Amino acid sequence: QVQLVESGGGLVQPGGSLRLSCAASGTSLSFYPMAWYRQAPGKQRELVARITSYGSTNYADSVKGRFTISRDNAENTAFLQMNSLKPEDTAVYYCKSRVGIQDYWGQGTQVTVSS
């Protein structure tokens, strides 16, 4: 059973930075893509960034140039470095991995950008 646990969320002022982590257990995710999603109150969950097993990345237009997704396969962990944060980045952030045809989600971590 794959388990994903996010951490690193919190309250930050506009223009600040946070680094989210997603630690996986139960199986090695080295060969599978990982992604970060977010869901703001009253809105649908949306893809923020995605990274393949070999390191290719793609981002939502709203975060390009500000967020960076990465992974450490030895640590079975994915990261989301978020810089120049804006109030509209406020949301619960979730990590996801697809193993075969099965999607696994973490429980989410709250990010609040406010002065």
Side-chain angles (χ1 to χ4, degrees):
Q1 181 74 10
V2 177
Q3 289 190 321
L4 302 176
V5 179
E6 302 98 335
S7 61
L11 173 64
V12 63
Q13 292 187 341
S17 298
L18 283 174
R19 188 190 195 210
L20 305 183
S21 299
C22 173
S25 62
T27 191
S28 172
L29 298 183
S30 301
F31 302 107
Y32 304 106
M34 298 188 76
W36 287 95
Y37 285 72
R38 66 186 181 187
Q39 187 167 20
K43 295 188 177 181
Q44 288 189 330
R45 192 172 295 190
E46 63 175 357
L47 175 66
V48 175
R50 183 176 180 270
I51 185 166
T52 66
S53 59
Y54 45 89
S56 179
T57 60
N58 62 282
Y59 298 90
D61 287 343
S62 59
V63 306
K64 280 181 182 176
R66 300 188 298 122
F67 290 12
T68 303
I69 188 171
S70 61
R71 64 192 299 163
D72 183 336
N73 288 336
E75 295 294 325
N76 221 16
T77 301
F79 304 96
L80 185 68
Q81 178 66 44
M82 306 186 295
N83 299 327
S84 302
L85 283 160
K86 304 175 181 180
E88 51 263 44
D89 295 318
T90 295
V92 178
Y93 284 71
Y94 300 89
C95 72
K96 188 195 87 169
S97 187
R98 172 162 288 187
V99 180
I101 61 171
Q102 180 69 46
D103 286 338
Y104 294 93
W105 292 87
Q107 83 289 348
T109 185
Q110 176 70 47
V111 172
T112 303
V113 185
S114 174
S115 55

